[in-house]
Amino acid sequence: VWTLRKRKDSCVQLKMVVIIKGGDVEQLLSMERCIEAVEDAFRSVGNEQEVEAIQPLRTVLKLPTNGFFGSMPAFLKTQGTPVFGLKAISIFNENHSKGLESHYGVITLFDGTNGLPIALIEAGSVTGIRTAAASAVATKHLARDEKGMTLAIIGAGLQGRTHIEAILCVRDIAEVRIASRDHKKAIALAESSSQKFQNRNIRFVAMQSIQDAVHNADIICTCTASATPVIERGWLKSGCHINAVGSSTPIARELDTQTISQGRLYTDRRESLIKEAGDFVIPMKEGAIAEDHIVGEIGQLVWKKIDGRRDASEVTITPSSLALPLNS
């Protein structure tokens, strides 16, 4: 695709806009590189000395067809060309029953110095990778760091798959347990993951229940479309870390109130968590927690401006507000 650019001599020059399709995203963006980029984005957000990032709250349109449409603009001052862009994405959680992904969308990227469009990128694949990368950054800074840890993955879709890869990049994992409402999908993900990581000494197991999957697990990633809690505090091991990424609206959550109220809570963005994440909004409306229950943002952790895990028995939690376009 070509756009027109007017030069100083009034001649017209053509500039190419790159189009990156979903199938190309994983080839161009490795999980390791994405984790680095996401951590850099968190670092930019947490920089209090210089404005490196601008990101207003996302706008969400609730559709009469049981879906949502979200738009998320952002600006980022990079080491090279400053850029700004917009992520436009649809969310239809019932798509899983139709054999479709729940998220589809497009990212438009612009040159921050002159406003020229640079790229159009399929957003679903980017979201799958970057959400897992954000969880990996949180895990890197908050989870215990021991040999032979157990990872529980709740949900066997795209996010479940990418979260396995992401967490394996930042922690030594000996066993991965996978639970899904569709047990066949859990089995399929366990088998494909075992094949993908066959050179590593990791056991992949499809569990019959979520409770069995999280029992004594060190790291838990909830990647579901559930509107009601799939995790109860009584199931959890002391000292575990939880990345809750499935909830994307104020009326849906994956963690019960006791898990949130007894956990040490961090977020990608405080304002978004308070206003948009059901894992926080619902317990707050119940009176179980207040805004000061949030310890801080991941960007502050990256800058070491706040404390992370204080001891081996704390349950640390990062409910994602799914509202950081900079990570996209």
Side-chain angles (χ1 to χ4, degrees):
V1 175
W2 299 85
T3 59
L4 298 180
R5 180 171 62 182
K6 196 171 185 179
R7 295 187 351 198
K8 293 181 180 179
D9 58 6
S10 296
C11 294
V12 173
Q13 181 181 0
L14 291 175
K15 180 178 177 63
M16 187 169 69
V17 177
V18 177
I19 296 179
I20 303 177
K21 297 180 292 185
D24 298 328
V25 170
E26 292 188 21
Q27 296 181 22
L28 296 170
L29 182 63
S30 69
M31 184 59 74
E32 292 84 355
R33 180 66 191 94
C34 189
I35 292 171
E36 293 175 3
V38 168
E39 189 164 26
D40 286 343
F42 280 129
R43 188 176 290 107
S44 294
V45 172
N47 186 358
E48 297 175 357
Q49 303 301 317
E50 181 182 359
V51 177
E52 295 186 359
I54 302 172
Q55 50 174 3
L57 280 175
R58 65 181 176 178
T59 299
V60 179
L61 178 64
K62 187 175 181 180
L63 305 174
T65 50
N66 295 322
F68 297 88
F69 176 71
S71 59
M72 294 169 274
F75 169 86
L76 180 63
K77 181 180 179 181
T78 65
Q79 293 180 350
T81 302
V83 295
F84 64 92
L86 175 73
K87 177 180 178 182
I89 195 161
S90 65
I91 305 171
F92 284 76
N93 288 325
E94 294 180 3
N95 274 2
H96 293 297
S97 63
K98 305 172 185 177
L100 300 171
E101 296 294 341
S102 58
H103 293 60
Y104 291 99
V106 186
I107 297 170
T108 55
L109 197 63
F110 299 82
D111 187 314
T113 62
N114 54 32
L116 283 169
I118 301 171
L120 290 172
I121 309 168
E122 192 276 317
S125 299
V126 175
T127 299
I129 298 174
R130 76 87 189 165
T131 303
S135 293
V137 174
T139 300
K140 172 183 174 182
H141 289 274
L142 290 171
R144 298 183 343 268
D145 191 2
E146 300 171 358
K147 295 290 185 182
M149 303 179 81
T150 299
L151 168 64
I153 298 290
I154 312 304
L158 173 63
Q159 288 294 341
R161 175 173 63 81
T162 56
H163 270 76
I164 291 173
E165 182 178 3
I167 303 304
L168 294 187
C169 289
V170 297
R171 284 296 182 268
D172 184 281
I173 303 297
E175 181 173 90
V176 178
R177 303 173 185 164
I178 304 166
S180 171
R181 59 186 177 184
D182 186 338
H183 189 59
K184 292 182 179 178
K185 289 185 177 180
I187 294 173
L189 181 56
E191 291 176 347
S192 63
S193 298
S194 181
Q195 180 67 28
K196 181 175 182 178
F197 300 103
Q198 59 182 316
N199 294 328
R200 302 178 63 170
N201 188 26
I202 302 173
R203 181 170 178 253
F204 293 89
V205 188
M207 309 298 290
Q208 290 288 344
S209 72
I210 294 173
Q211 184 174 357
D212 289 340
V214 302
H215 177 69
N216 280 334
D218 301 295
I219 301 167
I220 300 165
C221 300
T222 56
C223 313
T224 76
S226 179
T228 56
V230 297
I231 298 292
E232 296 182 14
R233 177 63 184 90
W235 301 348
L236 304 177
K237 170 183 178 179
S238 295
C240 70
H241 172 71
I242 305 172
N243 300 301
V245 305
S247 171
S248 59
T249 70
I251 59 173
R253 59 173 173 167
E254 295 180 297
L255 311 180
D256 71 352
T257 295
Q258 192 175 14
T259 298
I260 291 291
S261 65
Q262 294 183 8
R264 187 165 170 83
L265 201 64
Y266 298 81
T267 181
D268 45 16
R269 189 183 183 198
R270 181 185 295 267
E271 184 182 14
S272 299
L273 185 74
I274 292 170
K275 295 182 178 181
E276 300 179 328
D279 277 311
F280 186 86
V281 171
I282 295 172
M284 185 168 63
K285 286 183 176 180
E286 293 174 347
I289 58 174
E291 292 184 13
D292 62 4
H293 188 60
I294 304 170
V295 179
E297 297 183 351
I298 303 301
Q300 295 174 301
L301 269 179
V302 173
W303 279 99
K304 300 187 184 303
K305 293 178 179 178
I306 58 174
D307 291 332
R309 172 177 293 276
R310 296 173 299 185
D311 59 58
S313 64
E314 284 186 322
V315 173
T316 54
I317 307 171
T318 52
S320 173
S321 62
L322 295 182
L324 273 188
L326 284 175
N327 286 345
S328 297

